[in-house]
Amino acid sequence: MRRHTLHAGLIPAAALVSLASAQGVPLTGMLSDSTTGPLTAGVYVANTISVPAGETLTVDAGVVIKFEFDTRFDVEGTLLVDGTPGNPVIFTETRDDVGGDTNGDGSFTAPAAGWWRGLRFVDGSDASVVRNAVIRYGGRFIDGVQLSSSDATFEGVSVTDIEGSGFDLEGTSFPALTGCRVERCTGQAFDGVQVTALPGFSALSGANNTLGTRVRVTGGAVAPGQSISIGPDNGVDGSIFFDANLLIADGGTVEVTPGTVLKFDFDQRAEVDGTLRALGDRKSV
């Protein structure tokens, strides 16, 4: 049987149903609500796909997107993933049998980290919200979730089995991460973090990550006029790891609340020209 492929802008949303098969609905190219329509519950098999700048793509609860080898999901516009705790959206690879044996190999091959690349959010994707999603078996050349100057929002997102870090914040990325968990990644759990992004983190967790289940700060500058508060909920298990100097400029302020553990790597330091308030209590010692 000849395989059909969905190309953005060529096939209306209603035609998705007619393309469904035991192998899932194929996806490729640029996708958006205005051209291809939202992705509704079902299994999709993706080549490299993207949400163009200025466009929005909605992904409903129960959607499973399986990526072919060495492909990725680029978000230049707005991605709205609307999973639920009991019915998450799943981003995975084609050998994963969740939702059915889409590659037709039975149980002959097992899914593994590094098959596909991952989700990449760039400048212009700030309005994206990924809620109650599972991202697994990616990390080929990029990390599971790579943010490049993006302030997207992630709530209840699980990133597992990645060849690389779970979340990697490149450049000036200040995402909101709430209730996210990273497991079995070969890199860091939460990497490339600017210290001024920490107030946007809460209830993070993880386990069994090769380079550390931690929030790794690689940019520690607090500029004049900036004021941030850092607490135990901004890290993992109350701890934040600094692989950079904490540099508080004159006119900058950092408050560290009770129970917070700041861990500095070898030869790193806190240099305070502005204001540092670290007022613990006996209960948190």
Side-chain angles (χ1 to χ4, degrees), residues 143 162-166 182 184-191 207-216 241 243 265:
D143 297 288
I162 299 296
E163 187 70 31
S165 296
V182 178
R184 297 185 300 278
C185 296
T186 63
Q188 306 277 344
F190 305 91
D191 201 10
N208 301 316
N209 298 290
T210 304
L211 296 184
T213 300
R214 58 195 182 185
V215 172
R216 177 173 175 256
F241 176 72
D243 199 0
D265 202 4

mmCIF file with all atom_site columns, all heavy atoms in Angstrom, residues 143 162-166 182 184-191 207-216 241 243 265:
data_model
loop_
_atom_site.group_PDB
_atom_site.id
_atom_site.type_symbol
_atom_site.label_atom_id
_atom_site.label_alt_id
_atom_site.label_comp_id
_atom_site.label_asym_id
_atom_site.label_entity_id
_atom_site.label_seq_id
_atom_site.pdbx_PDB_ins_code
_atom_site.Cartn_x
_atom_site.Cartn_y
_atom_site.Cartn_z
_atom_site.occupancy
_atom_site.B_iso_or_equiv
_atom_site.pdbx_formal_charge
_atom_site.auth_seq_id
_atom_site.auth_comp_id
_atom_site.auth_asym_id
_atom_site.auth_atom_id
_atom_site.pdbx_PDB_model_num
ATOM 1   N N   . ASP A 1 143 ? 19.481 18.282 22.963 1.00 0.00 ? 143 ASP A N   1
ATOM 2   C CA  . ASP A 1 143 ? 18.987 17.700 24.207 1.00 0.00 ? 143 ASP A CA  1
ATOM 3   C C   . ASP A 1 143 ? 17.488 17.398 24.097 1.00 0.00 ? 143 ASP A C   1
ATOM 4   O O   . ASP A 1 143 ? 16.854 17.685 23.075 1.00 0.00 ? 143 ASP A O   1
ATOM 5   C CB  . ASP A 1 143 ? 19.277 18.653 25.356 1.00 0.00 ? 143 ASP A CB  1
ATOM 6   C CG  . ASP A 1 143 ? 20.781 18.859 25.541 1.00 0.00 ? 143 ASP A CG  1
ATOM 7   O OD1 . ASP A 1 143 ? 21.449 17.920 26.006 1.00 0.00 ? 143 ASP A OD1 1
ATOM 8   O OD2 . ASP A 1 143 ? 21.278 19.946 25.208 1.00 0.00 ? 143 ASP A OD2 1
ATOM 9   N N   . ILE A 1 162 ? 17.213 10.206 27.592 1.00 0.00 ? 162 ILE A N   1
ATOM 10  C CA  . ILE A 1 162 ? 17.729 11.160 26.624 1.00 0.00 ? 162 ILE A CA  1
ATOM 11  C C   . ILE A 1 162 ? 19.247 11.019 26.523 1.00 0.00 ? 162 ILE A C   1
ATOM 12  O O   . ILE A 1 162 ? 19.939 10.888 27.536 1.00 0.00 ? 162 ILE A O   1
ATOM 13  C CB  . ILE A 1 162 ? 17.374 12.602 27.041 1.00 0.00 ? 162 ILE A CB  1
ATOM 14  C CG1 . ILE A 1 162 ? 15.854 12.791 27.099 1.00 0.00 ? 162 ILE A CG1 1
ATOM 15  C CG2 . ILE A 1 162 ? 18.014 13.617 26.097 1.00 0.00 ? 162 ILE A CG2 1
ATOM 16  C CD1 . ILE A 1 162 ? 15.129 12.635 25.791 1.00 0.00 ? 162 ILE A CD1 1
ATOM 17  N N   . GLU A 1 163 ? 19.774 11.090 25.313 1.00 0.00 ? 163 GLU A N   1
ATOM 18  C CA  . GLU A 1 163 ? 21.216 11.135 25.094 1.00 0.00 ? 163 GLU A CA  1
ATOM 19  C C   . GLU A 1 163 ? 21.635 12.604 25.185 1.00 0.00 ? 163 GLU A C   1
ATOM 20  O O   . GLU A 1 163 ? 21.702 13.319 24.195 1.00 0.00 ? 163 GLU A O   1
ATOM 21  C CB  . GLU A 1 163 ? 21.563 10.567 23.716 1.00 0.00 ? 163 GLU A CB  1
ATOM 22  C CG  . GLU A 1 163 ? 23.055 10.412 23.450 1.00 0.00 ? 163 GLU A CG  1
ATOM 23  C CD  . GLU A 1 163 ? 23.711 9.315  24.272 1.00 0.00 ? 163 GLU A CD  1
ATOM 24  O OE1 . GLU A 1 163 ? 23.038 8.320  24.581 1.00 0.00 ? 163 GLU A OE1 1
ATOM 25  O OE2 . GLU A 1 163 ? 24.906 9.467  24.597 1.00 0.00 ? 163 GLU A OE2 1
ATOM 26  N N   . GLY A 1 164 ? 21.883 13.062 26.393 1.00 0.00 ? 164 GLY A N   1
ATOM 27  C CA  . GLY A 1 164 ? 22.143 14.468 26.648 1.00 0.00 ? 164 GLY A CA  1
ATOM 28  C C   . GLY A 1 164 ? 21.370 14.911 27.872 1.00 0.00 ? 164 GLY A C   1
ATOM 29  O O   . GLY A 1 164 ? 20.947 14.087 28.693 1.00 0.00 ? 164 GLY A O   1
ATOM 30  N N   . SER A 1 165 ? 21.178 16.216 27.997 1.00 0.00 ? 165 SER A N   1
ATOM 31  C CA  . SER A 1 165 ? 20.458 16.751 29.145 1.00 0.00 ? 165 SER A CA  1
ATOM 32  C C   . SER A 1 165 ? 18.954 16.724 28.915 1.00 0.00 ? 165 SER A C   1
ATOM 33  O O   . SER A 1 165 ? 18.487 16.678 27.779 1.00 0.00 ? 165 SER A O   1
ATOM 34  C CB  . SER A 1 165 ? 20.910 18.192 29.428 1.00 0.00 ? 165 SER A CB  1
ATOM 35  O OG  . SER A 1 165 ? 22.272 18.218 29.805 1.00 0.00 ? 165 SER A OG  1
ATOM 36  N N   . GLY A 1 166 ? 18.191 16.783 30.015 1.00 0.00 ? 166 GLY A N   1
ATOM 37  C CA  . GLY A 1 166 ? 16.741 16.800 29.897 1.00 0.00 ? 166 GLY A CA  1
ATOM 38  C C   . GLY A 1 166 ? 16.257 18.126 29.349 1.00 0.00 ? 166 GLY A C   1
ATOM 39  O O   . GLY A 1 166 ? 15.659 18.196 28.274 1.00 0.00 ? 166 GLY A O   1
ATOM 40  N N   . VAL A 1 182 ? 13.045 14.788 35.310 1.00 0.00 ? 182 VAL A N   1
ATOM 41  C CA  . VAL A 1 182 ? 14.014 14.295 34.338 1.00 0.00 ? 182 VAL A CA  1
ATOM 42  C C   . VAL A 1 182 ? 14.655 13.026 34.889 1.00 0.00 ? 182 VAL A C   1
ATOM 43  O O   . VAL A 1 182 ? 15.192 13.027 36.003 1.00 0.00 ? 182 VAL A O   1
ATOM 44  C CB  . VAL A 1 182 ? 15.102 15.346 34.038 1.00 0.00 ? 182 VAL A CB  1
ATOM 45  C CG1 . VAL A 1 182 ? 16.127 14.784 33.060 1.00 0.00 ? 182 VAL A CG1 1
ATOM 46  C CG2 . VAL A 1 182 ? 14.472 16.624 33.477 1.00 0.00 ? 182 VAL A CG2 1
ATOM 47  N N   . ARG A 1 184 ? 17.027 9.316  33.781 1.00 0.00 ? 184 ARG A N   1
ATOM 48  C CA  . ARG A 1 184 ? 17.819 8.466  32.891 1.00 0.00 ? 184 ARG A CA  1
ATOM 49  C C   . ARG A 1 184 ? 18.323 9.216  31.648 1.00 0.00 ? 184 ARG A C   1
ATOM 50  O O   . ARG A 1 184 ? 18.211 8.739  30.523 1.00 0.00 ? 184 ARG A O   1
ATOM 51  C CB  . ARG A 1 184 ? 17.014 7.227  32.475 1.00 0.00 ? 184 ARG A CB  1
ATOM 52  C CG  . ARG A 1 184 ? 16.640 6.325  33.648 1.00 0.00 ? 184 ARG A CG  1
ATOM 53  C CD  . ARG A 1 184 ? 15.964 5.049  33.180 1.00 0.00 ? 184 ARG A CD  1
ATOM 54  N NE  . ARG A 1 184 ? 14.743 5.328  32.448 1.00 0.00 ? 184 ARG A NE  1
ATOM 55  C CZ  . ARG A 1 184 ? 13.562 5.582  33.024 1.00 0.00 ? 184 ARG A CZ  1
ATOM 56  N NH1 . ARG A 1 184 ? 13.464 5.595  34.340 1.00 0.00 ? 184 ARG A NH1 1
ATOM 57  N NH2 . ARG A 1 184 ? 12.502 5.816  32.287 1.00 0.00 ? 184 ARG A NH2 1
ATOM 58  N N   . CYS A 1 185 ? 18.903 10.375 31.883 1.00 0.00 ? 185 CYS A N   1
ATOM 59  C CA  . CYS A 1 185 ? 19.549 11.138 30.819 1.00 0.00 ? 185 CYS A CA  1
ATOM 60  C C   . CYS A 1 185 ? 21.065 11.071 31.014 1.00 0.00 ? 185 CYS A C   1
ATOM 61  O O   . CYS A 1 185 ? 21.546 10.989 32.142 1.00 0.00 ? 185 CYS A O   1
ATOM 62  C CB  . CYS A 1 185 ? 19.074 12.582 30.826 1.00 0.00 ? 185 CYS A CB  1
ATOM 63  S SG  . CYS A 1 185 ? 17.306 12.760 30.480 1.00 0.00 ? 185 CYS A SG  1
ATOM 64  N N   . THR A 1 186 ? 21.809 11.138 29.916 1.00 0.00 ? 186 THR A N   1
ATOM 65  C CA  . THR A 1 186 ? 23.263 11.032 30.042 1.00 0.00 ? 186 THR A CA  1
ATOM 66  C C   . THR A 1 186 ? 23.908 12.359 30.416 1.00 0.00 ? 186 THR A C   1
ATOM 67  O O   . THR A 1 186 ? 25.101 12.397 30.730 1.00 0.00 ? 186 THR A O   1
ATOM 68  C CB  . THR A 1 186 ? 23.890 10.522 28.735 1.00 0.00 ? 186 THR A CB  1
ATOM 69  O OG1 . THR A 1 186 ? 23.648 11.477 27.681 1.00 0.00 ? 186 THR A OG1 1
ATOM 70  C CG2 . THR A 1 186 ? 23.305 9.172  28.330 1.00 0.00 ? 186 THR A CG2 1
ATOM 71  N N   . GLY A 1 187 ? 23.163 13.452 30.375 1.00 0.00 ? 187 GLY A N   1
ATOM 72  C CA  . GLY A 1 187 ? 23.691 14.754 30.760 1.00 0.00 ? 187 GLY A CA  1
ATOM 73  C C   . GLY A 1 187 ? 23.142 15.210 32.098 1.00 0.00 ? 187 GLY A C   1
ATOM 74  O O   . GLY A 1 187 ? 22.907 14.407 33.008 1.00 0.00 ? 187 GLY A O   1
ATOM 75  N N   . GLN A 1 188 ? 22.924 16.503 32.223 1.00 0.00 ? 188 GLN A N   1
ATOM 76  C CA  . GLN A 1 188 ? 22.337 17.097 33.425 1.00 0.00 ? 188 GLN A CA  1
ATOM 77  C C   . GLN A 1 188 ? 20.810 17.016 33.337 1.00 0.00 ? 188 GLN A C   1
ATOM 78  O O   . GLN A 1 188 ? 20.234 16.897 32.255 1.00 0.00 ? 188 GLN A O   1
ATOM 79  C CB  . GLN A 1 188 ? 22.730 18.565 33.538 1.00 0.00 ? 188 GLN A CB  1
ATOM 80  C CG  . GLN A 1 188 ? 24.218 18.844 33.488 1.00 0.00 ? 188 GLN A CG  1
ATOM 81  C CD  . GLN A 1 188 ? 24.891 18.663 34.830 1.00 0.00 ? 188 GLN A CD  1
ATOM 82  O OE1 . GLN A 1 188 ? 24.254 18.610 35.871 1.00 0.00 ? 188 GLN A OE1 1
ATOM 83  N NE2 . GLN A 1 188 ? 26.223 18.591 34.815 1.00 0.00 ? 188 GLN A NE2 1
ATOM 84  N N   . ALA A 1 189 ? 20.174 17.138 34.474 1.00 0.00 ? 189 ALA A N   1
ATOM 85  C CA  . ALA A 1 189 ? 18.713 17.201 34.451 1.00 0.00 ? 189 ALA A CA  1
ATOM 86  C C   . ALA A 1 189 ? 18.243 18.538 33.876 1.00 0.00 ? 189 ALA A C   1
ATOM 87  O O   . ALA A 1 189 ? 17.488 18.587 32.902 1.00 0.00 ? 189 ALA A O   1
ATOM 88  C CB  . ALA A 1 189 ? 18.147 16.986 35.852 1.00 0.00 ? 189 ALA A CB  1
ATOM 89  N N   . PHE A 1 190 ? 18.711 19.642 34.480 1.00 0.00 ? 190 PHE A N   1
ATOM 90  C CA  . PHE A 1 190 ? 18.323 20.990 34.055 1.00 0.00 ? 190 PHE A CA  1
ATOM 91  C C   . PHE A 1 190 ? 19.619 21.782 33.879 1.00 0.00 ? 190 PHE A C   1
ATOM 92  O O   . PHE A 1 190 ? 20.286 22.111 34.862 1.00 0.00 ? 190 PHE A O   1
ATOM 93  C CB  . PHE A 1 190 ? 17.413 21.653 35.097 1.00 0.00 ? 190 PHE A CB  1
ATOM 94  C CG  . PHE A 1 190 ? 16.187 20.829 35.428 1.00 0.00 ? 190 PHE A CG  1
ATOM 95  C CD1 . PHE A 1 190 ? 16.217 19.913 36.484 1.00 0.00 ? 190 PHE A CD1 1
ATOM 96  C CD2 . PHE A 1 190 ? 15.022 20.944 34.681 1.00 0.00 ? 190 PHE A CD2 1
ATOM 97  C CE1 . PHE A 1 190 ? 15.108 19.134 36.792 1.00 0.00 ? 190 PHE A CE1 1
ATOM 98  C CE2 . PHE A 1 190 ? 13.906 20.171 34.975 1.00 0.00 ? 190 PHE A CE2 1
ATOM 99  C CZ  . PHE A 1 190 ? 13.942 19.266 36.029 1.00 0.00 ? 190 PHE A CZ  1
ATOM 100 N N   . ASP A 1 191 ? 19.962 22.108 32.640 1.00 0.00 ? 191 ASP A N   1
ATOM 101 C CA  . ASP A 1 191 ? 21.299 22.611 32.345 1.00 0.00 ? 191 ASP A CA  1
ATOM 102 C C   . ASP A 1 191 ? 21.239 23.999 31.701 1.00 0.00 ? 191 ASP A C   1
ATOM 103 O O   . ASP A 1 191 ? 20.210 24.426 31.167 1.00 0.00 ? 191 ASP A O   1
ATOM 104 C CB  . ASP A 1 191 ? 22.019 21.643 31.397 1.00 0.00 ? 191 ASP A CB  1
ATOM 105 C CG  . ASP A 1 191 ? 23.519 21.786 31.445 1.00 0.00 ? 191 ASP A CG  1
ATOM 106 O OD1 . ASP A 1 191 ? 24.033 22.492 32.332 1.00 0.00 ? 191 ASP A OD1 1
ATOM 107 O OD2 . ASP A 1 191 ? 24.200 21.182 30.586 1.00 0.00 ? 191 ASP A OD2 1
ATOM 108 N N   . ALA A 1 207 ? 15.907 11.616 38.655 1.00 0.00 ? 207 ALA A N   1
ATOM 109 C CA  . ALA A 1 207 ? 16.699 10.506 39.195 1.00 0.00 ? 207 ALA A CA  1
ATOM 110 C C   . ALA A 1 207 ? 17.520 9.885  38.080 1.00 0.00 ? 207 ALA A C   1
ATOM 111 O O   . ALA A 1 207 ? 17.133 9.923  36.903 1.00 0.00 ? 207 ALA A O   1
ATOM 112 C CB  . ALA A 1 207 ? 15.793 9.446  39.825 1.00 0.00 ? 207 ALA A CB  1
ATOM 113 N N   . ASN A 1 208 ? 18.678 9.326  38.469 1.00 0.00 ? 208 ASN A N   1
ATOM 114 C CA  . ASN A 1 208 ? 19.488 8.491  37.577 1.00 0.00 ? 208 ASN A CA  1
ATOM 115 C C   . ASN A 1 208 ? 19.928 9.218  36.305 1.00 0.00 ? 208 ASN A C   1
ATOM 116 O O   . ASN A 1 208 ? 19.891 8.654  35.202 1.00 0.00 ? 208 ASN A O   1
ATOM 117 C CB  . ASN A 1 208 ? 18.721 7.210  37.209 1.00 0.00 ? 208 ASN A CB  1
ATOM 118 C CG  . ASN A 1 208 ? 18.345 6.391  38.413 1.00 0.00 ? 208 ASN A CG  1
ATOM 119 O OD1 . ASN A 1 208 ? 19.155 6.194  39.323 1.00 0.00 ? 208 ASN A OD1 1
ATOM 120 N ND2 . ASN A 1 208 ? 17.103 5.924  38.453 1.00 0.00 ? 208 ASN A ND2 1
ATOM 121 N N   . ASN A 1 209 ? 20.382 10.458 36.454 1.00 0.00 ? 209 ASN A N   1
ATOM 122 C CA  . ASN A 1 209 ? 20.959 11.200 35.339 1.00 0.00 ? 209 ASN A CA  1
ATOM 123 C C   . ASN A 1 209 ? 22.478 11.200 35.486 1.00 0.00 ? 209 ASN A C   1
ATOM 124 O O   . ASN A 1 209 ? 23.009 11.515 36.552 1.00 0.00 ? 209 ASN A O   1
ATOM 125 C CB  . ASN A 1 209 ? 20.412 12.624 35.323 1.00 0.00 ? 209 ASN A CB  1
ATOM 126 C CG  . ASN A 1 209 ? 18.909 12.648 35.130 1.00 0.00 ? 209 ASN A CG  1
ATOM 127 O OD1 . ASN A 1 209 ? 18.400 12.328 34.060 1.00 0.00 ? 209 ASN A OD1 1
ATOM 128 N ND2 . ASN A 1 209 ? 18.178 13.005 36.176 1.00 0.00 ? 209 ASN A ND2 1
ATOM 129 N N   . THR A 1 210 ? 23.185 10.856 34.422 1.00 0.00 ? 210 THR A N   1
ATOM 130 C CA  . THR A 1 210 ? 24.608 10.551 34.502 1.00 0.00 ? 210 THR A CA  1
ATOM 131 C C   . THR A 1 210 ? 25.439 11.713 35.053 1.00 0.00 ? 210 THR A C   1
ATOM 132 O O   . THR A 1 210 ? 26.301 11.523 35.923 1.00 0.00 ? 210 THR A O   1
ATOM 133 C CB  . THR A 1 210 ? 25.141 10.154 33.121 1.00 0.00 ? 210 THR A CB  1
ATOM 134 O OG1 . THR A 1 210 ? 24.366 9.059  32.617 1.00 0.00 ? 210 THR A OG1 1
ATOM 135 C CG2 . THR A 1 210 ? 26.603 9.733  33.208 1.00 0.00 ? 210 THR A CG2 1
ATOM 136 N N   . LEU A 1 211 ? 25.209 12.930 34.596 1.00 0.00 ? 211 LEU A N   1
ATOM 137 C CA  . LEU A 1 211 ? 26.018 14.067 35.024 1.00 0.00 ? 211 LEU A CA  1
ATOM 138 C C   . LEU A 1 211 ? 25.403 14.852 36.168 1.00 0.00 ? 211 LEU A C   1
ATOM 139 O O   . LEU A 1 211 ? 25.983 15.840 36.627 1.00 0.00 ? 211 LEU A O   1
ATOM 140 C CB  . LEU A 1 211 ? 26.282 15.000 33.836 1.00 0.00 ? 211 LEU A CB  1
ATOM 141 C CG  . LEU A 1 211 ? 27.118 14.412 32.698 1.00 0.00 ? 211 LEU A CG  1
ATOM 142 C CD1 . LEU A 1 211 ? 27.398 15.474 31.639 1.00 0.00 ? 211 LEU A CD1 1
ATOM 143 C CD2 . LEU A 1 211 ? 28.426 13.816 33.213 1.00 0.00 ? 211 LEU A CD2 1
ATOM 144 N N   . GLY A 1 212 ? 24.241 14.420 36.627 1.00 0.00 ? 212 GLY A N   1
ATOM 145 C CA  . GLY A 1 212 ? 23.679 15.059 37.805 1.00 0.00 ? 212 GLY A CA  1
ATOM 146 C C   . GLY A 1 212 ? 22.194 15.335 37.703 1.00 0.00 ? 212 GLY A C   1
ATOM 147 O O   . GLY A 1 212 ? 21.717 15.835 36.685 1.00 0.00 ? 212 GLY A O   1
ATOM 148 N N   . THR A 1 213 ? 21.471 14.981 38.763 1.00 0.00 ? 213 THR A N   1
ATOM 149 C CA  . THR A 1 213 ? 20.057 15.332 38.868 1.00 0.00 ? 213 THR A CA  1
ATOM 150 C C   . THR A 1 213 ? 19.989 16.639 39.640 1.00 0.00 ? 213 THR A C   1
ATOM 151 O O   . THR A 1 213 ? 19.806 16.661 40.852 1.00 0.00 ? 213 THR A O   1
ATOM 152 C CB  . THR A 1 213 ? 19.267 14.213 39.556 1.00 0.00 ? 213 THR A CB  1
ATOM 153 O OG1 . THR A 1 213 ? 19.396 13.007 38.781 1.00 0.00 ? 213 THR A OG1 1
ATOM 154 C CG2 . THR A 1 213 ? 17.780 14.578 39.653 1.00 0.00 ? 213 THR A CG2 1
ATOM 155 N N   . ARG A 1 214 ? 20.184 17.722 38.905 1.00 0.00 ? 214 ARG A N   1
ATOM 156 C CA  . ARG A 1 214 ? 20.326 19.018 39.545 1.00 0.00 ? 214 ARG A CA  1
ATOM 157 C C   . ARG A 1 214 ? 20.006 20.135 38.560 1.00 0.00 ? 214 ARG A C   1
ATOM 158 O O   . ARG A 1 214 ? 19.936 19.933 37.346 1.00 0.00 ? 214 ARG A O   1
ATOM 159 C CB  . ARG A 1 214 ? 21.757 19.187 40.065 1.00 0.00 ? 214 ARG A CB  1
ATOM 160 C CG  . ARG A 1 214 ? 22.825 19.051 38.986 1.00 0.00 ? 214 ARG A CG  1
ATOM 161 C CD  . ARG A 1 214 ? 24.209 18.862 39.578 1.00 0.00 ? 214 ARG A CD  1
ATOM 162 N NE  . ARG A 1 214 ? 25.237 18.780 38.553 1.00 0.00 ? 214 ARG A NE  1
ATOM 163 C CZ  . ARG A 1 214 ? 26.520 18.526 38.794 1.00 0.00 ? 214 ARG A CZ  1
ATOM 164 N NH1 . ARG A 1 214 ? 26.928 18.320 40.053 1.00 0.00 ? 214 ARG A NH1 1
ATOM 165 N NH2 . ARG A 1 214 ? 27.401 18.483 37.813 1.00 0.00 ? 214 ARG A NH2 1
ATOM 166 N N   . VAL A 1 215 ? 19.838 21.317 39.120 1.00 0.00 ? 215 VAL A N   1
ATOM 167 C CA  . VAL A 1 215 ? 19.755 22.547 38.338 1.00 0.00 ? 215 VAL A CA  1
ATOM 168 C C   . VAL A 1 215 ? 21.168 23.112 38.261 1.00 0.00 ? 215 VAL A C   1
ATOM 169 O O   . VAL A 1 215 ? 21.770 23.468 39.281 1.00 0.00 ? 215 VAL A O   1
ATOM 170 C CB  . VAL A 1 215 ? 18.793 23.548 38.990 1.00 0.00 ? 215 VAL A CB  1
ATOM 171 C CG1 . VAL A 1 215 ? 18.866 24.900 38.274 1.00 0.00 ? 215 VAL A CG1 1
ATOM 172 C CG2 . VAL A 1 215 ? 17.367 23.021 38.972 1.00 0.00 ? 215 VAL A CG2 1
ATOM 173 N N   . ARG A 1 216 ? 21.718 23.186 37.058 1.00 0.00 ? 216 ARG A N   1
ATOM 174 C CA  . ARG A 1 216 ? 23.112 23.633 36.865 1.00 0.00 ? 216 ARG A CA  1
ATOM 175 C C   . ARG A 1 216 ? 23.110 25.064 36.327 1.00 0.00 ? 216 ARG A C   1
ATOM 176 O O   . ARG A 1 216 ? 22.684 25.318 35.200 1.00 0.00 ? 216 ARG A O   1
ATOM 177 C CB  . ARG A 1 216 ? 23.836 22.707 35.907 1.00 0.00 ? 216 ARG A CB  1
ATOM 178 C CG  . ARG A 1 216 ? 25.278 23.123 35.582 1.00 0.00 ? 216 ARG A CG  1
ATOM 179 C CD  . ARG A 1 216 ? 25.954 22.048 34.753 1.00 0.00 ? 216 ARG A CD  1
ATOM 180 N NE  . ARG A 1 216 ? 27.279 22.447 34.310 1.00 0.00 ? 216 ARG A NE  1
ATOM 181 C CZ  . ARG A 1 216 ? 27.570 22.842 33.065 1.00 0.00 ? 216 ARG A CZ  1
ATOM 182 N NH1 . ARG A 1 216 ? 26.612 22.880 32.145 1.00 0.00 ? 216 ARG A NH1 1
ATOM 183 N NH2 . ARG A 1 216 ? 28.800 23.181 32.740 1.00 0.00 ? 216 ARG A NH2 1
ATOM 184 N N   . PHE A 1 241 ? 23.090 24.047 41.899 1.00 0.00 ? 241 PHE A N   1
ATOM 185 C CA  . PHE A 1 241 ? 24.511 23.838 41.629 1.00 0.00 ? 241 PHE A CA  1
ATOM 186 C C   . PHE A 1 241 ? 25.043 24.961 40.737 1.00 0.00 ? 241 PHE A C   1
ATOM 187 O O   . PHE A 1 241 ? 24.513 25.210 39.652 1.00 0.00 ? 241 PHE A O   1
ATOM 188 C CB  . PHE A 1 241 ? 24.725 22.488 40.954 1.00 0.00 ? 241 PHE A CB  1
ATOM 189 C CG  . PHE A 1 241 ? 26.144 22.213 40.549 1.00 0.00 ? 241 PHE A CG  1
ATOM 190 C CD1 . PHE A 1 241 ? 27.105 21.931 41.498 1.00 0.00 ? 241 PHE A CD1 1
ATOM 191 C CD2 . PHE A 1 241 ? 26.515 22.226 39.211 1.00 0.00 ? 241 PHE A CD2 1
ATOM 192 C CE1 . PHE A 1 241 ? 28.413 21.673 41.131 1.00 0.00 ? 241 PHE A CE1 1
ATOM 193 C CE2 . PHE A 1 241 ? 27.815 21.956 38.822 1.00 0.00 ? 241 PHE A CE2 1
ATOM 194 C CZ  . PHE A 1 241 ? 28.770 21.687 39.786 1.00 0.00 ? 241 PHE A CZ  1
ATOM 195 N N   . ASP A 1 243 ? 27.940 26.225 38.435 1.00 0.00 ? 243 ASP A N   1
ATOM 196 C CA  . ASP A 1 243 ? 29.146 25.972 37.642 1.00 0.00 ? 243 ASP A CA  1
ATOM 197 C C   . ASP A 1 243 ? 29.580 27.301 37.024 1.00 0.00 ? 243 ASP A C   1
ATOM 198 O O   . ASP A 1 243 ? 30.010 27.374 35.874 1.00 0.00 ? 243 ASP A O   1
ATOM 199 C CB  . ASP A 1 243 ? 28.864 24.937 36.563 1.00 0.00 ? 243 ASP A CB  1
ATOM 200 C CG  . ASP A 1 243 ? 30.150 24.313 36.031 1.00 0.00 ? 243 ASP A CG  1
ATOM 201 O OD1 . ASP A 1 243 ? 31.231 24.691 36.504 1.00 0.00 ? 243 ASP A OD1 1
ATOM 202 O OD2 . ASP A 1 243 ? 30.062 23.454 35.136 1.00 0.00 ? 243 ASP A OD2 1
ATOM 203 N N   . ASP A 1 265 ? 30.882 24.739 42.246 1.00 0.00 ? 265 ASP A N   1
ATOM 204 C CA  . ASP A 1 265 ? 31.897 23.858 41.695 1.00 0.00 ? 265 ASP A CA  1
ATOM 205 C C   . ASP A 1 265 ? 33.287 24.392 42.044 1.00 0.00 ? 265 ASP A C   1
ATOM 206 O O   . ASP A 1 265 ? 33.445 25.527 42.538 1.00 0.00 ? 265 ASP A O   1
ATOM 207 C CB  . ASP A 1 265 ? 31.721 23.747 40.179 1.00 0.00 ? 265 ASP A CB  1
ATOM 208 C CG  . ASP A 1 265 ? 32.363 22.485 39.616 1.00 0.00 ? 265 ASP A CG  1
ATOM 209 O OD1 . ASP A 1 265 ? 32.866 21.666 40.408 1.00 0.00 ? 265 ASP A OD1 1
ATOM 210 O OD2 . ASP A 1 265 ? 32.364 22.314 38.379 1.00 0.00 ? 265 ASP A OD2 1
#
